[in-house]
């Protein structure tokens, strides 16, 4: 750990989660000031405080200081411990918000992580647990994070606003990450998905499936969308429904899209037919964007490339999202890693604009892992 390194300083509430994750991995302390200092309700929000508590549970020896107004945060990271962790996620953000951070941190814990997260499983703000299961886990396997210990199980589904869902995420630890070369995404060979509902009529999921297939069947014959209608205690505390779709290519790339109904009592009611069709169109748009990593997992791929062994990694991606661009800036601040970005010539493209991301890994070693 870089204990003697100068404290990194930031201002404002943006990218708080990103900064805490990179601080923990790099061992560099940070101080964030002016957190919503100009707003009527200054300081950290409840969901951010909940995330900080999760970081504290994941580590041993972290030092966290927050001033009385919540506008200044000092974080000195401890060692990632892993093991069994249970956390009640704040309902303002879904479990996916917390799970995305665990995906980044779990491989570098001292012992294999088994995290039980409770709260909202599917909402309109964050990637759902369904999408992360079918896209992020296969991506982690590319970097050598694989085995039966890598698993994500949805025990109960929880829709907003009240939640009530529960998932179990298990992840093995690794001492090093493999460098990767993903420069050809291949052709789409099949589409899979899950239409889910909780505390509404079971017919909702069938209507979603029929409307999504009415679009996708024009492009591909191999389509199967599962239906998941939760009942009783497994259906959470609020009604709702949604659809998560993933397209798999011949080279093992997974491209995803998802839509969720409006929370109970918020906004106009959403017809399942409209949701299914719109989600299918979003998937086709993601396929057009293309690349070997979908837009949801761009930052996860770039992080593992940067932390890999001191060898060249290359990944072709679709257009970089604004979040990904900011993530690249933060990687430079915390790890001094810079990527070579090459835009694919127009005549060589299939679909939208593609960029080839290249870097040499920093040779990050999991010093927490017990050598056996």
């Amino acid at each position: 750990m870089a204990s003697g390194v100068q404290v990194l300083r930031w201002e404002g509430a943006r990218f708080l989660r990103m900064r805490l994750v990179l601080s923990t991995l790099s061992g560099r302390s940070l101080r964030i000031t002016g957190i919503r200092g100009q707003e009527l309700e200054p300081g950290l929000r409840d969901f951010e405080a909940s995330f900080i508590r999760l970081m504290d549970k994941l580590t041993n020896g972290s030092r966290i200081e927050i001033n009385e107004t919540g506008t200044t945060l000092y974080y000195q990271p401890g060692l990632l411990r892993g093991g069994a962790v249970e956390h009640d996620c704040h309902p303002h953000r879904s479990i996916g918000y917390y799970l995305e951070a665990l995906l980044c941190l779990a491989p570098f814990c001292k012992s294999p992580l088994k995290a039980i997260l409770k709260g909202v499983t599917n909402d309109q703000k964050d990637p759902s647990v369904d999408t992360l299961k079918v896209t992020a886990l296969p991506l982690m396997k590319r970097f050598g994070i694989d085995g039966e210990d890598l698993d994500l199980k949805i025990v109960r589904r929880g829709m907003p606003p009240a939640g009530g869902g529960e998932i179990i995420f298990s992840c093995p630890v690794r001492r090093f990450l493999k460098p990767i070369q993903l420069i050809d995404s291949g052709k789409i060979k099949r589409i899979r998905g899950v239409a889910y509902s909780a505390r509404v009529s079971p017919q909702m999921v069938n209507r979603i499936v029929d409307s999504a297939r009415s679009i996708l069947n024009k492009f591909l014959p191999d389509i199967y969308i599962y239906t998941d209608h939760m009942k009783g205690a497994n259906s959470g505390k609020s009604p709702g429904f949604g659809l998560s779709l993933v397209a798999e290519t011949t080279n093992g790339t997974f491209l995803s899209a998802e839509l969720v109904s409006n929370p109970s009592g918020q906004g106009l009611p959403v017809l399942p037919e409209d949701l299914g069709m719109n989600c299918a169109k979003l998937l086709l748009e993601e396929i057009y964007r293309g690349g070997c990593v979908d837009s949801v997992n761009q930052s996860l791929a770039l992080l593992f490339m940067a932390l890999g062994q001191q060898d060249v990694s290359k990944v072709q991606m679709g257009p970089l999202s604004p979040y990904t661009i900011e993530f690249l800036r933060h990687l430079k601040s915390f790890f001094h890693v810079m990527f070579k970005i090459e835009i694919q010539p127009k005549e060589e493209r299939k679909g939208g604009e593609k960029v080839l991301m290249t870097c040499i890994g920093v040779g990050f070693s999991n010093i927490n892992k017990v050598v056996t």
Side-chain angles (χ1 to χ4, degrees), residues 209-283:
V209 171
D210 290 343
S211 59
R213 290 187 68 100
S214 70
I215 300 287
L216 299 175
N217 277 340
K218 299 175 183 177
F219 302 94
L220 199 70
D222 191 354
I223 298 169
Y224 191 86
I225 303 174
Y226 301 85
T227 57
D228 181 19
H229 177 67
M230 290 288 191
K231 299 178 181 178
N234 292 337
S235 62
K237 301 176 182 178
S238 297
F241 54 87
L243 174 62
S244 173
L245 294 172
V246 60
E248 182 182 353
T249 73
T250 51
N251 288 349
T253 293
F254 295 87
L255 305 171
S256 65
E258 62 182 318
L259 275 181
V260 183
S261 61
N262 289 330
S264 177
Q266 301 177 28
L268 297 173
V270 177
L271 288 174
E273 287 82 4
D274 292 341
L275 185 141
M277 293 178 67
N278 290 335
C279 188
K281 292 174 182 176
L282 283 177
L283 181 66

Side-chain angles (χ1 to χ4, degrees), residues 161-205:
E166 180 180 329
I167 67 122
I168 301 174
F169 171 59
S170 304
C171 182
V173 294
R174 292 291 181 267
R175 191 162 180 82
F176 300 104
L177 297 182
K178 295 178 181 177
I180 62 169
Q181 304 276 329
L182 301 178
I183 54 179
D184 181 11
S185 60
K187 297 180 179 180
I188 304 296
K189 66 176 182 179
R190 60 175 169 236
I191 293 174
R192 296 293 181 262
V194 56
Y196 51 85
S197 64
R199 297 192 175 274
V200 296
S201 168
Q203 286 302 313
M204 290 290 193
V205 288

Side-chain angles (χ1 to χ4, degrees), residues 2 6 35 83 93 153 158 250 260 279:
Q6 183 181 7
I35 300 174
R93 301 301 290 258
K153 182 180 179 182
T250 51
V260 183
C279 188

Side-chain angles (χ1 to χ4, degrees), residues 312-334:
V312 176
S313 284
K314 293 185 178 184
V315 174
Q316 185 196 68
M317 296 183 176
L320 301 181
S321 68
Y323 182 88
T324 302
I325 293 169
E326 194 61 44
F327 188 79
L328 288 169
R329 296 189 179 114
H330 280 71
L331 274 178
K332 182 182 177 183
S333 298
F334 282 95

Side-chain angles (χ1 to χ4, degrees), residues 6-287:
Q6 183 181 7
V7 176
L8 289 171
R9 299 177 183 273
W10 308 90
E11 186 170 351
R14 296 183 70 205
F15 311 113
L16 178 75
R17 179 184 60 160
M18 179 195 298
R19 290 165 181 169
L20 289 172
V21 168
L22 293 177
S23 170
T24 304
L25 288 171
S26 65
R28 302 191 67 179
S29 301
L30 59 81
R31 184 181 297 277
I32 303 175
T33 58
I35 300 174
R36 300 185 181 89
Q38 305 300 316
E39 297 187 19
L40 293 175
E41 297 182 12
L44 292 165
R45 295 291 180 258
D46 289 341
F47 72 91
E48 292 167 332
S50 174
F51 181 78
I52 292 170
R53 287 194 293 273
L54 176 61
M55 296 297 293
D56 192 36
K57 292 177 182 178
L58 281 172
T59 57
N60 282 330
S62 290
R63 181 180 164 196
I64 302 168
E65 297 175 5
I66 303 171
N67 68 350
E68 290 184 5
T69 58
T71 55
T72 299
L73 166 68
Y74 173 76
Y75 179 70
Q76 181 180 332
L79 294 175
L80 285 162
R81 66 175 186 84
V85 173
E86 188 169 331
H87 189 70
D88 290 319
C89 304
H90 193 272
H92 186 70
R93 301 301 290 258
S94 80
I95 289 174
Y97 174 83
Y98 301 82
L99 181 60
E100 280 187 298
L102 294 188
L103 294 171
C104 299
L105 298 170
F108 310 107
C109 290
K110 182 177 182 179
S111 56
L113 177 68
K114 183 179 181 181
I116 299 174
L117 302 180
K118 300 178 181 179
V120 174
T121 54
N122 309 78
D123 73 355
Q124 298 173 330
K125 299 174 186 173
D126 306 298
S128 72
V129 291
D130 299 274
T131 295
L132 292 175
K133 179 175 182 176
V134 295
T135 58
L137 298 196
L139 177 62
M140 293 174 73
K141 292 176 181 177
R142 298 264 197 175
F143 289 92
I145 308 163
D146 52 10
E148 294 181 0
D149 293 342
L150 183 64
D151 188 39
L152 176 56
K153 182 180 179 182
I154 303 168
V155 181
R156 287 195 294 269
R157 208 171 277 285
M159 306 299 292
E166 180 180 329
I167 67 122
I168 301 174
F169 171 59
S170 304
C171 182
V173 294
R174 292 291 181 267
R175 191 162 180 82
F176 300 104
L177 297 182
K178 295 178 181 177
I180 62 169
Q181 304 276 329
L182 301 178
I183 54 179
D184 181 11
S185 60
K187 297 180 179 180
I188 304 296
K189 66 176 182 179
R190 60 175 169 236
I191 293 174
R192 296 293 181 262
V194 56
Y196 51 85
S197 64
R199 297 192 175 274
V200 296
S201 168
Q203 286 302 313
M204 290 290 193
V205 288
N206 297 326
R207 291 163 63 184
I208 293 172
V209 171
D210 290 343
S211 59
R213 290 187 68 100
S214 70
I215 300 287
L216 299 175
N217 277 340
K218 299 175 183 177
F219 302 94
L220 199 70
D222 191 354
I223 298 169
Y224 191 86
I225 303 174
Y226 301 85
T227 57
D228 181 19
H229 177 67
M230 290 288 191
K231 299 178 181 178
N234 292 337
S235 62
K237 301 176 182 178
S238 297
F241 54 87
L243 174 62
S244 173
L245 294 172
V246 60
E248 182 182 353
T249 73
T250 51
N251 288 349
T253 293
F254 295 87
L255 305 171
S256 65
E258 62 182 318
L259 275 181
V260 183
S261 61
N262 289 330
S264 177
Q266 301 177 28
L268 297 173
V270 177
L271 288 174
E273 287 82 4
D274 292 341
L275 185 141
M277 293 178 67
N278 290 335
C279 188
K281 292 174 182 176
L282 283 177
L283 181 66
L284 295 176
E285 185 177 326
E286 187 69 32
I287 292 171

